[in-house]
Coordinates of all heavy atoms in Angstrom, one line a residue:
D453 N 23.5 62.0 24.4 CA 22.7 61.4 25.5 C 21.3 62.0 25.5 O 21.0 63.1 26.0 CB 23.4 61.8 26.9 CG 22.7 61.1 28.1 OD1 21.7 60.5 27.9 OD2 23.3 61.2 29.1
L454 N 20.4 61.2 24.9 CA 19.0 61.6 24.7 C 18.2 61.4 26.0 O 17.0 61.7 26.0 CB 18.4 60.9 23.6 CG 19.0 61.1 22.2 CD1 18.3 60.3 21.1 CD2 19.2 62.5 21.9
D455 N 18.8 60.9 27.1 CA 18.1 60.8 28.4 C 18.4 62.0 29.2 O 17.4 62.6 29.8 CB 18.7 59.6 29.1 CG 18.1 58.3 28.6 OD1 16.9 58.2 28.3 OD2 18.9 57.3 28.5
N456 N 19.6 62.5 29.3 CA 20.0 63.5 30.2 C 20.4 64.8 29.6 O 20.4 65.9 30.3 CB 21.1 63.0 31.2 CG 20.7 61.7 31.8 OD1 19.7 61.6 32.5 ND2 21.6 60.7 31.7
R457 N 20.9 64.8 28.3 CA 21.4 66.0 27.7 C 20.8 66.2 26.3 O 21.5 66.2 25.3 CB 23.0 66.0 27.6 CG 23.7 65.9 29.0 CD 25.2 66.1 28.8 NE 25.8 65.2 27.9 CZ 26.2 64.0 28.3 NH1 26.1 63.6 29.6 NH2 26.8 63.1 27.5
V458 N 19.5 66.3 26.3 CA 18.8 66.3 25.0 C 19.2 67.6 24.2 O 19.6 67.5 23.0 CB 17.3 66.3 25.2 CG1 16.6 66.3 23.9 CG2 16.9 65.1 26.0
A459 N 19.1 68.8 24.8 CA 19.4 70.0 24.0 C 20.8 70.1 23.5 O 21.1 70.4 22.4 CB 19.1 71.2 24.9
L460 N 21.8 69.7 24.4 CA 23.2 69.7 24.0 C 23.4 68.7 22.9 O 24.2 69.0 21.9 CB 24.1 69.4 25.2 CG 25.6 69.4 24.9 CD1 26.1 70.7 24.4 CD2 26.3 68.9 26.2
S461 N 22.8 67.6 22.9 CA 23.0 66.5 21.9 C 22.6 67.0 20.5 O 23.3 66.9 19.5 CB 22.2 65.3 22.3 OG 22.6 64.7 23.5
Y462 N 21.4 67.6 20.4 CA 20.9 68.1 19.1 C 21.7 69.3 18.7 O 21.8 69.5 17.5 CB 19.4 68.3 19.2 CG 18.6 67.1 19.2 CD1 17.8 66.7 20.3 CD2 18.6 66.2 18.1 CE1 17.1 65.5 20.4 CE2 17.9 65.0 18.2 CZ 17.1 64.7 19.3 OH 16.4 63.5 19.3
A463 N 22.1 70.1 19.6 CA 22.9 71.3 19.2 C 24.3 70.9 18.6 O 24.7 71.4 17.6 CB 23.2 72.2 20.5
V464 N 24.9 69.8 19.2 CA 26.1 69.3 18.7 C 25.9 68.8 17.3 O 26.7 69.1 16.3 CB 26.7 68.2 19.6 CG1 27.9 67.5 18.9 CG2 27.2 68.8 20.9
M465 N 24.9 68.0 17.1 CA 24.6 67.4 15.7 C 24.3 68.5 14.7 O 24.8 68.4 13.6 CB 23.5 66.4 15.8 CG 23.8 65.1 16.5 SD 22.6 63.8 16.4 CE 21.4 64.4 17.7
S466 N 23.6 69.5 15.1 CA 23.3 70.6 14.2 C 24.6 71.3 13.7 O 24.8 71.6 12.5 CB 22.4 71.6 14.8 OG 21.1 71.1 15.2
G467 N 25.5 71.6 14.7 CA 26.7 72.3 14.3 C 27.6 71.5 13.4 O 28.2 72.0 12.5
L468 N 27.7 70.2 13.7 CA 28.6 69.3 12.9 C 28.1 69.2 11.4 O 28.9 69.3 10.5 CB 28.6 67.9 13.5 CG 29.4 67.8 14.8 CD1 29.3 66.4 15.4 CD2 30.9 68.1 14.6
F469 N 26.8 69.1 11.2 CA 26.3 69.0 9.9 C 26.3 70.3 9.1 O 26.4 70.3 7.9 CB 24.9 68.3 9.9 CG 25.0 66.8 10.0 CD1 24.7 66.2 11.2 CD2 25.4 66.0 9.0 CE1 24.8 64.9 11.4 CE2 25.5 64.7 9.1 CZ 25.2 64.1 10.3
L470 N 26.3 71.4 9.9 CA 26.5 72.7 9.2 C 27.9 72.8 8.6 O 28.1 73.3 7.5 CB 26.2 73.8 10.2 CG 26.4 75.3 9.7 CD1 25.3 75.5 8.5 CD2 26.2 76.3 10.8
A471 N 28.9 72.3 9.4 CA 30.2 72.2 8.9 C 30.4 71.3 7.7 O 31.1 71.6 6.7 CB 31.2 71.7 10.0
C472 N 29.6 70.2 7.7 CA 29.7 69.3 6.5 C 29.1 69.9 5.3 O 29.6 69.7 4.2 CB 28.8 68.0 6.8 SG 29.5 66.9 8.1
V473 N 28.1 70.8 5.4 CA 27.5 71.5 4.3 C 28.6 72.3 3.6 O 28.7 72.3 2.3 CB 26.4 72.4 4.7 CG1 26.0 73.4 3.6 CG2 25.2 71.5 5.1
F474 N 29.4 73.0 4.3 CA 30.5 73.8 3.7 C 31.6 73.0 3.1 O 32.2 73.3 2.1 CB 31.0 74.8 4.7 CG 30.0 75.9 5.0 CD1 29.3 75.9 6.2 CD2 29.8 76.9 4.1 CE1 28.4 76.9 6.5 CE2 28.8 77.9 4.4 CZ 28.1 77.9 5.6
L475 N 32.0 71.9 3.8 CA 33.1 71.1 3.4 C 32.9 70.3 2.2 O 33.8 69.8 1.5 CB 33.5 70.1 4.6 CG 34.3 70.8 5.7 CD1 34.5 69.8 6.9 CD2 35.6 71.4 5.3
V476 N 31.6 70.1 1.8 CA 31.3 69.4 0.6 C 32.0 70.0 -0.6 O 32.4 69.3 -1.6 CB 29.7 69.3 0.4 CG1 29.4 69.1 -1.1 CG2 29.1 68.3 1.3
F477 N 32.1 71.3 -0.6 CA 32.7 72.0 -1.8 C 34.2 71.8 -1.9 O 34.9 72.3 -2.8 CB 32.4 73.5 -1.7 CG 30.9 73.8 -1.8 CD1 30.2 74.0 -0.6 CD2 30.2 73.7 -3.0 CE1 28.8 74.3 -0.6 CE2 28.9 73.9 -3.0 CZ 28.2 74.2 -1.9
A478 N 34.8 71.2 -0.9 CA 36.3 71.0 -0.9 C 36.7 69.7 -1.7 O 37.9 69.6 -2.1 CB 36.8 70.8 0.5
L479 N 35.7 68.9 -2.1 CA 36.0 67.7 -2.8 C 35.6 67.8 -4.3 O 34.6 68.4 -4.6 CB 35.3 66.5 -2.2 CG 35.7 66.2 -0.7 CD1 34.9 64.9 -0.2 CD2 37.2 65.9 -0.6
E480 N 36.3 67.1 -5.2 CA 36.0 67.2 -6.6 C 34.9 66.2 -6.9 O 34.7 65.1 -6.3 CB 37.2 66.8 -7.4 CG 37.8 65.4 -7.2 CD 39.2 65.3 -7.7 OE1 40.1 66.1 -7.3 OE2 39.4 64.3 -8.4
E481 N 34.1 66.5 -8.0 CA 33.1 65.6 -8.4 C 33.7 64.4 -9.1 O 34.7 64.5 -9.9 CB 32.1 66.4 -9.4 CG 31.0 65.6 -9.9 CD 30.1 65.0 -8.9 OE1 29.3 65.8 -8.3 OE2 30.2 63.8 -8.6
T482 N 33.1 63.2 -9.0 CA 33.6 62.0 -9.6 C 32.5 61.4 -10.6 O 32.8 60.3 -11.1 CB 34.0 60.9 -8.6 OG1 32.8 60.6 -7.7 CG2 35.1 61.4 -7.7
K483 N 31.4 62.0 -10.7 CA 30.3 61.5 -11.6 C 30.9 61.3 -13.0 O 31.4 62.2 -13.6 CB 29.2 62.4 -11.6 CG 28.1 62.0 -12.6 CD 27.1 63.2 -12.7 CE 26.1 62.9 -13.9 NZ 25.2 64.0 -14.2
G484 N 30.6 60.0 -13.5 CA 31.0 59.7 -14.9 C 32.5 59.5 -15.2 O 32.9 59.3 -16.3
K485 N 33.3 59.5 -14.1 CA 34.7 59.3 -14.3 C 35.1 57.9 -14.0 O 34.6 57.2 -13.2 CB 35.5 60.3 -13.4 CG 35.4 61.7 -13.7 CD 36.2 62.6 -12.8 CE 36.1 64.1 -13.1 NZ 36.9 64.9 -12.2
A486 N 36.1 57.4 -14.8 CA 36.6 56.0 -14.6 C 37.4 56.0 -13.3 O 38.0 57.0 -12.9 CB 37.5 55.6 -15.8
L487 N 37.4 54.9 -12.6 CA 38.2 54.7 -11.4 C 39.7 54.7 -11.7 O 40.1 54.2 -12.7 CB 37.9 53.4 -10.7 CG 36.5 53.2 -10.2 CD1 36.3 51.8 -9.6 CD2 36.2 54.2 -9.1
E488 N 40.5 55.4 -10.9 CA 41.9 55.4 -11.1 C 42.5 54.1 -10.5 O 41.9 53.5 -9.6 CB 42.5 56.6 -10.3 CG 42.1 57.9 -10.7 CD 42.6 59.0 -9.9 OE1 43.6 58.8 -9.1 OE2 42.1 60.2 -9.9
D489 N 43.6 53.6 -11.1 CA 44.2 52.4 -10.6 C 45.5 52.6 -9.8 O 45.8 51.8 -9.0 CB 44.5 51.5 -11.8 CG 43.2 50.9 -12.5 OD1 42.4 50.4 -11.7 OD2 43.0 51.1 -13.7
S490 N 46.2 53.7 -10.1 CA 47.5 53.8 -9.5 C 47.6 55.3 -9.0 O 47.0 56.2 -9.5 CB 48.6 53.5 -10.5 OG 49.9 53.9 -9.9
L491 N 48.5 55.4 -7.9 CA 48.8 56.8 -7.5 C 49.6 57.6 -8.5 O 49.7 58.8 -8.4 CB 49.6 56.7 -6.2 CG 48.9 56.4 -4.9 CD1 49.8 56.1 -3.8 CD2 47.9 57.5 -4.6
A492 N 50.1 56.9 -9.5 CA 50.8 57.6 -10.6 C 49.9 58.4 -11.4 O 50.2 59.3 -12.1 CB 51.5 56.6 -11.5
C493 N 48.5 58.0 -11.4 CA 47.5 58.8 -12.1 C 47.2 60.1 -11.3 O 47.3 60.1 -10.1 CB 46.2 58.0 -12.2 SG 46.5 56.4 -13.0
N494 N 46.9 61.1 -12.1 CA 46.6 62.4 -11.4 C 45.2 62.6 -11.2 O 44.8 63.6 -10.6 CB 47.2 63.5 -12.3 CG 48.7 63.5 -12.3 OD1 49.4 63.2 -11.3 ND2 49.3 63.7 -13.5
G495 N 44.3 61.7 -11.6 CA 42.9 61.9 -11.4 C 42.1 62.0 -12.6 O 42.5 62.7 -13.5
G496 N 40.9 61.4 -12.7 CA 40.0 61.5 -13.8 C 40.3 60.6 -15.0 O 41.4 60.1 -15.1
S497 N 39.3 60.3 -15.8 CA 39.5 59.4 -16.9 C 40.4 59.9 -17.9 O 41.2 59.2 -18.5 CB 38.1 59.1 -17.5 OG 37.5 60.3 -17.9
A498 N 40.4 61.2 -18.1 CA 41.3 61.8 -19.1 C 42.8 61.6 -18.7 O 43.6 61.2 -19.5 CB 41.0 63.3 -19.3
D499 N 43.1 61.8 -17.5 CA 44.4 61.6 -17.0 C 44.8 60.1 -17.1 O 46.0 59.8 -17.4 CB 44.5 62.1 -15.5 CG 44.4 63.6 -15.4 OD1 44.9 64.3 -16.3 OD2 43.8 64.0 -14.4

Side-chain angles (χ1 to χ4, degrees):
D453 186 347
L454 301 184
D455 285 318
N456 306 307
R457 298 191 301 273
V458 180
L460 179 61
S461 297
Y462 287 115
V464 168
M465 288 188 281
S466 299
L468 289 175
F469 281 103
L470 181 61
C472 289
V473 167
F474 290 103
L475 286 173
V476 160
F477 298 102
L479 300 180
E480 62 196 55
E481 180 59 74
T482 57
K483 175 192 171 187
K485 294 182 179 180
L487 293 176
E488 299 175 16
D489 289 307
S490 172
L491 283 173
C493 304
N494 293 319
S497 56
D499 291 325

